[in-house]
Amino acid sequence: MKIQRYDLPQIIKNDFFLHGKIHLILLILIIFSASSLVIIVYETRLLIAKEEQLILKKKKKMMNGEI
């Protein structure tokens, strides 16, 4: 008796391309959206840190009487 083996990743991939094009597009959009969100949050935190440094420099100059 010969046991028939199935290539499960290949079957899943074929199902996605043949029957689940909308699901595949939605999956790609979700990954793109999540990546964009992470990048935007990272850039925002960098800008906030830079703004805080500038405020501290300005306060330090005011305390020294330079402004």
Side-chain angles (χ1 to χ4, degrees):
M1 183 167 102
K2 187 176 180 183
I3 297 175
Q4 186 176 6
R5 295 189 176 236
Y6 297 100
D7 187 14
L8 188 58
Q10 185 68 28
I11 293 171
I12 292 171
K13 186 174 76 171
N14 287 340
D15 282 346
F16 263 134
F17 286 123
L18 294 176
H19 306 292
K21 290 180 184 175
I22 292 176
H23 296 101
L24 189 60
I25 290 170
L26 288 174
L27 178 65
I28 291 169
L29 288 174
I30 289 169
I31 292 170
F32 176 74
S33 174
S35 300
S36 299
L37 181 68
V38 169
I39 291 169
I40 289 171
V41 168
Y42 175 74
E43 293 291 330
T44 302
R45 287 184 177 196
L46 285 178
L47 288 172
I48 290 170
K50 191 172 186 178
E51 181 184 28
E52 187 177 341
Q53 287 177 351
L54 290 173
I55 290 171
L56 290 174
K57 281 184 184 180
K58 185 176 180 181
K59 282 184 180 180
K60 189 174 183 181
K61 284 184 178 183
M62 289 178 75
M63 298 275 287
N64 292 335
E66 296 175 18
I67 295 180

